Structures are given as C-alpha cells and as structure tokens.
Amino acid sequence: PPAATSSDEEDDSDASTKPIRSEKKKNPASLFQTGGDPPKEKKTKKKAPPKAAESDEDTPETPQKNSNKKGKGKKSKKAKEERPPSPVIEVDNLEEFVLRPAPQGVTVKCRVTRDKKGMDRGLYPTYYLHLDNDKKVFLLAGRKRKKSKTSNYLISIDPTDLSRGGENFIGKLRSNLMGTKFTVFDNGANPDRANANWSNVRQELSAVVYETNVLGFKGPRKMTVIIPGMNADNERVPIRPRNDNDGLLMRWQNKNMDNVIELHNKAPVWNDETQSYVLNFHGRVTHASVKNFQIVHGSDPDYIVMQFGRVADDAFTMDYNYPLCAVQAFAIALSSFDGKLACE
C-alpha cells in the first residue's frame, strides 16, 4: 500500500524562494472550465496556486523516511509541525459552504473520523468531517443505509440526524451492485418527482470508478473521478440526469464529455528502500494505507485536486482544492471505505 512520506523542508520554506516556474503555469482553474467564456478578471487577479501544487514542483519525488518512526522523544512537537492546519475558512452557512467549490488558491484541509462504537457500527460506522484546525468546525456526517441492496451512504449537515427525510440531508453516495462504481447526488428530488421545469431534480455531483486489477485490490488502486465542469463564473455546471442513461457514469462510458471533467488518482511510485508504493503528502499523512490517494487532472499532475490519507486507526486527513466542494470530496472519500473495496 502507498506509504505516506512527509517532507520536512516543505513546511519552513519561504514562499518567496519558490521557483518562478509556477507563475508561467496556466491557471489551474482553466483545467476545469467547460462552459462559456473564461472569466474576464483572470489577468488582473492572479491567484497563487494552492500550496500543495506549488510545493510539489520543487520537492523531489524521492520520499524521505517516514517521519512517524523516529524522534519519539519530540513526538508531540513534531506532530504539530508535521500537519499544517487548514487556513482560516469562514463557514457562515453550512449548507451553502459544503456545496460551494473551494476558493481558488486555497486548500481546504479537513479531517475524517470513523466512529465504530455501538451495536452495528462495525458494519455501519458513522463518518464525520471537520475542518482540520483548532476550532474543528463540523462540516458533514455520513453513514451507510442498512436496508439497501447496494452501498448507499447518506450525507448530512447534522451529526445527529442521518435520516433520509430530515432537512439536514444534503447528499448521498450510491454504488453499483459490484461496488466498483459510485455516484454522488445532492439532495434534490428523484427524476420521477420532477417539477415542470426540472429545477428541483437532484444534481449529480461526482462519480467514482474503481478499476480492479488482476490481483484483485492488492497493489495500488486505480480510481477515475468524474465531475461536472465549471462555467465562466467558476460555478459548477448543473448535471440533472433525467434517467439512469444520462448520468455522469454513462456520459463518461459513452465518451460524451461535454461539461464533464475526468480526474484520476496519481500513481504512487515504488520505493525500493521501504518496499512500498509511495506518494508525497507533504506531512499531511503519516500512516501507510491502501486508502491513501491523491486526485489530479491529467493535464497538470502537480495540482492536487484532492488528497486523502490515514493519520491514525480511525482518523484520516482529507484536503481538497478548487473545483471540488466538501460534499464531493467527502463522498469520494466515503467510496474508498466501502466494504467491497476494503482491504486494510
């Protein structure tokens, strides 16, 4: 499984010493634009690419020794330096915030905790998403529904109310029978209950496809993530399928990629020294796990759209960048926990 590597020089490097190369790079936002003209103010307001993307360029892929194995004496101080916290993010209206794309140039750093306590939590744990900073602002909770034929996770903006009928229901993640393909919906209505202009129908926010290899799931997983593109105002293009043949998965399978963006997980590199597959998470991930992944666009593998990885037995960091929103990123993370894929 991909071992996490942490790079110490990344944290204390001064932004001004960064190579100027990143300036020449095209604005990452343009990778996700599919509808209309590019935003007018792009030239005047040059936003710096997110830290993760920047530091990837000058950090060699050769991983440092996994830092959580040494320096036991200074453990508590070290841990603080190692995991840079989330920037200050105002979550005024939670429902709006979790569906809004991350601000350009800001990496939203979150933490996912898995709660297995209680009678059936082993089978149906609850997952909680918080901002990874001192305030630990709650964002989302998710849990698998019990009576579904396929894996079906409800996502809620209330940690205590994970009911389908409640007003806190914000989205869901549904898998196919095989458990290899997932679709993420917002809380809109089923197409059967559409109103006249179809505006109340649920949007598809994302789809995830896991490729099994010959070894089953041993070895690095391959993930494809399909998301709606962004329009000229940097807003998500609404994708409201009228039936199952019109969703993100079918569009992707039929190579109908209008207003659709395809992303992949970054292939980990084999490291002879540690005898494992590794990715550079810049100190945000400390435990090796098959679940660790980074999602990138094929045209710019240095811009990390999302990364997810283990930091303790039931704790994970989940960081996401524009154009993802919290619901998309959390649902993609939930899909990676799913039973049929799980191979701890």
Side-chain angles (χ1 to χ4, degrees):
T5 69
S6 96
S7 109
D8 289 321
E9 64 253 57
E10 193 252 335
D11 287 0
D12 48 27
S13 66
D14 187 307
S16 59
T17 63
K18 293 265 180 265
I20 310 187
R21 227 177 343 161
S22 59
E23 281 305 302
K24 280 202 220 86
K25 243 183 177 164
K26 58 181 178 181
N27 175 357
S30 60
L31 298 171
F32 307 103
Q33 201 128 38
T34 58
D37 304 317
K40 305 257 182 312
E41 84 271 80
K42 204 179 267 184
K43 291 203 169 57
T44 51
K45 280 210 232 128
K46 177 78 180 153
K47 292 200 171 107
K51 193 92 168 117
E54 230 173 64
S55 46
D56 245 11
E57 300 197 71
D58 52 318
T59 312
E61 266 304 312
T62 49
Q64 281 73 26
K65 281 267 199 318
N66 201 343
S67 54
N68 62 338
K69 290 192 184 123
K70 57 174 202 264
K72 288 238 160 61
K74 301 188 300 202
K75 187 80 180 179
S76 61
K77 181 173 185 299
K78 191 86 180 80
K80 278 210 169 54
E81 291 166 4
E82 234 169 53
R83 238 182 54 232
S86 183
V88 177
I89 286 161
E90 289 305 318
V91 183
D92 33 5
N93 174 333
L94 185 55
E95 185 169 359
E96 238 171 61
F97 175 82
V98 295
L99 288 167
R100 195 168 55 221
Q104 288 181 43
V106 174
T107 300
V108 183
K109 296 179 180 178
C110 305
R111 187 179 173 92
V112 175
T113 43
R114 175 169 56 184
D115 178 5
K116 293 177 173 167
K117 295 184 199 70
M119 285 281 287
D120 50 10
R121 287 283 177 85
L123 288 170
Y124 302 100
T126 305
Y127 298 91
Y128 299 104
L129 182 71
H130 290 82
L131 283 181
D132 193 9
N133 55 17
D134 294 340
K135 290 200 179 116
K136 307 252 181 309
V137 179
F138 168 80
L139 298 177
L140 293 166
R143 193 170 75 210
K144 199 175 194 169
R145 296 183 76 179
K146 293 180 184 153
K147 295 193 169 61
S148 291
K149 290 192 192 65
T150 61
S151 293
N152 204 327
Y153 292 79
L154 285 186
I155 299 172
S156 168
I157 48 173
D158 182 329
T160 58
D161 172 20
L162 281 135
S163 62
R164 174 72 178 80
E167 58 208 40
N168 298 304
F169 168 68
I170 192 95
K172 72 172 186 179
L173 168 75
R174 192 178 72 192
S175 82
N176 64 349
L177 278 167
M178 293 281 295
T180 51
K181 293 178 180 160
F182 294 80
T183 304
V184 184
F185 300 95
D186 71 2
N187 56 1
N190 190 306
D192 307 343
R193 294 190 283 281
N195 59 12
N197 65 359
W198 216 259
S199 61
N200 67 332
V201 170
R202 63 189 180 198
Q203 292 186 38
E204 285 195 12
L205 298 177
S206 164
V208 190
V209 179
Y210 289 89
E211 205 178 295
T212 49
N213 53 32
V214 192
L215 305 165
F217 282 102
K218 291 190 170 41
R221 291 184 191 168
K222 279 194 167 160
M223 296 166 71
T224 302
V225 174
I226 305 129
I227 57 171
M230 307 299 277
N231 68 15
D233 295 327
N234 295 322
E235 288 159 352
R236 199 179 306 113
V237 176
I239 299 221
R240 291 194 170 89
R242 304 199 163 213
N243 54 52
D244 285 345
N245 297 323
D246 183 31
L248 288 170
L249 283 169
M250 286 308 283
R251 294 182 188 205
W252 174 75
Q253 275 162 311
N254 298 332
K255 305 211 169 12
N256 164 20
M257 300 299 282
D258 291 346
N259 290 327
V260 176
I261 303 281
E262 177 181 300
L263 307 169
H264 292 275
N265 63 324
K266 197 169 185 172
V269 184
W270 179 258
N271 177 335
D272 279 336
E273 200 180 317
T274 59
Q275 288 293 297
S276 60
Y277 287 96
V278 291
L279 284 167
N280 194 339
F281 286 91
H282 300 295
R284 290 283 297 158
V285 174
T286 51
H287 287 48
S289 167
V290 69
K291 294 189 171 75
N292 299 352
F293 63 82
Q294 289 176 325
I295 301 292
V296 293
H297 189 292
S299 306
D300 184 357
D302 289 337
Y303 179 76
I304 309 288
V305 178
M306 169 184 177
Q307 69 178 21
F308 179 79
R310 171 169 283 177
V311 289
D313 282 352
D314 286 307
F316 304 81
T317 48
M318 182 196 95
D319 302 346
Y320 66 95
N321 280 306
Y322 180 87
L324 288 193
C325 68
V327 172
Q328 285 170 312
F330 185 50
I332 293 165
L334 287 177
S335 76
S336 77
F337 284 114
D338 197 57
K340 295 189 179 167
L341 302 171
C343 39
E344 297 284 337

